[in-house]
Structure formats: C-alpha cells, structure tokens
Amino acid sequence: MRHLARLADYCSITNMHTKNLAIVWAPNLLRSKQIESACFSGTAAFMEVRIQSVVVEFILNHVDVLFSSKLSSVIRDGAGAHL
C-alpha cells in the first residue's frame, strides 16, 4: 500500500492519483468470491467494485496513519478499544 501511495505522489507525471490507482487495484486487493460467482449481475458487480475502490482510495489517502508504528503498537497492546 505504501508503494501505491508513493506512486500517487507522482500523479502530475503519471496521472495515476489515488482514485485511479484504487480503481485499478481494488479488484485485486479486495477480491470477492461473490463478485466472481455467476449469481452477481453486471450492475451488482459494478457496485461492489465501486465500494472496493472507495475503500482502497481511503487506505491510500491515509496510509501513513493506518500503517504507522504508533497505531500498530496501540492495536497490539489492546489500547485500541479505549480510543
């Protein structure tokens, strides 16, 4: 995720800002067996992928906080429940 966030830093050159990166990478990062099954129609699959891309975009925009050592230690120590 940090690598993709760093790629977004070069969006002025590549035009791959976080939204574009999320659209491309979300289906691979958040693969859903439900989407791959035959029971999902085209519209439902599109909506599911859209939700995935919003989640990945959020993660890319907040990668420094979500993957910080401070947050990891808070979660590991169990203090996350008190936040």
Side-chain angles (χ1 to χ4, degrees):
M1 292 308 277
R2 287 182 196 265
H3 175 70
L4 292 176
R6 271 186 257 132
L7 285 175
D9 290 339
Y10 295 96
C11 66
S12 62
I13 299 167
T14 64
N15 201 31
M16 291 301 286
H17 45 80
T18 55
K19 185 172 187 141
N20 284 346
L21 289 167
I23 290 168
V24 171
W25 283 96
N28 293 303
L29 295 172
L30 301 176
R31 174 164 270 155
S32 171
K33 291 183 187 271
Q34 291 175 335
I35 292 175
E36 294 174 359
S37 72
C39 65
F40 257 75
S41 70
T43 303
F46 175 77
M47 292 306 295
E48 186 72 19
V49 170
R50 176 70 185 125
I51 292 168
Q52 290 174 341
S53 69
V54 169
V55 170
V56 171
E57 184 179 3
F58 175 85
I59 293 169
L60 290 175
N61 286 326
H62 299 90
V63 73
D64 291 335
V65 174
L66 294 171
F67 296 102
S68 73
S69 58
K70 183 178 179 181
L71 181 62
S72 296
S73 66
V74 167
I75 292 170
R76 184 177 46 250
D77 296 340
H82 302 293
L83 293 177

